[in-house]
Amino acid sequence: MNLIRRSDLAIALLVSSMALPAVADTFTIRMISEDPNIEGDSTMVFDPPLLRVALGDTVIFEPVQSGHNTASKNGMIPEGVESWNSRIDETFEITFSVDGTYGYVCMPHYLVGMVGMILVGDYSVNLDDARAVRHRGHAKKAFKALFALVDAL
Ligand SMILES: [Cu+2]
């Protein structure tokens, strides 16, 4: 009995040490027109609107309802990183290989405040630059709320 337990432990340790170096997670951000299960403002939202991930992690934008896309916002992604602009209703995937703050919008619903932010690793790199970007309509209020959440981390 003792022997079996020991070998089980040995295998468990081996597996966990092998898995450790290359762990990368995948997260999903839902693109929503309306979801009564979300607390507060549930109309035209990314869910979750603020996401913190590690370098090497992948984010999948999932169009739960139609009419949405995801596009990086000019000035709100780290320098040298390629911008993105997905097709409407497309499931879109990004793997992050550069630390920083990533602000993005839904092009059709930017003015009603459908925006979001992803923090990758040491997100402070371009946080001030991202915060300095000016916005129109309800995007202004929405980004302000997101930066308040970031400041509270
Ligand atoms: Cu939208």
Side-chain angles (χ1 to χ4, degrees):
M1 196 62 187
N2 238 344
L3 275 175
I4 291 168
R5 277 191 187 151
R6 269 192 181 172
S7 66
D8 281 352
L9 180 64
I11 289 167
L13 286 172
L14 182 66
V15 167
S16 68
S17 67
M18 281 167 66
L20 267 177
V23 172
D25 286 323
T26 299
F27 299 87
T28 299
I29 295 175
R30 302 187 308 146
M31 302 191 273
I32 292 169
S33 301
E34 192 167 18
D35 182 348
N37 297 316
I38 295 178
E39 244 178 75
D41 188 1
S42 66
T43 308
M44 307 302 178
V45 288
F46 290 102
D47 176 47
L50 179 66
L51 181 65
R52 197 171 178 183
V53 305
L55 211 56
D57 285 349
T58 296
V59 171
I60 298 169
F61 288 90
E62 184 193 352
V64 174
Q65 285 143 340
S66 67
H68 309 289
N69 85 328
T70 170
S72 56
K73 184 68 185 164
N74 283 344
M76 296 189 81
I77 59 175
E79 219 175 279
V81 171
E82 209 180 322
S83 61
W84 72 85
N85 186 356
S86 76
R87 293 194 316 272
I88 301 283
D89 296 341
E90 177 188 14
T91 298
F92 191 74
E93 188 177 311
I94 307 174
T95 299
F96 292 95
S97 54
V98 176
D99 280 348
T101 299
Y102 292 74
Y104 62 88
V105 308
C106 168
M107 300 285 269
H109 303 118
Y110 167 73
L111 286 177
V112 296
M114 185 167 173
V115 305
M117 223 150 50
I118 298 168
L119 307 175
V120 180
D122 177 12
Y123 58 88
S124 67
V125 187
N126 67 323
L127 182 62
D128 291 342
D129 292 339
R131 197 196 302 266
V133 172
R134 300 184 63 115
H135 299 283
R136 292 179 297 125
H138 289 286
K140 198 171 178 174
K141 193 178 73 179
F143 270 122
K144 197 178 171 188
L146 291 179
F147 281 111
L149 288 176
V150 174
D151 290 340
L153 289 176

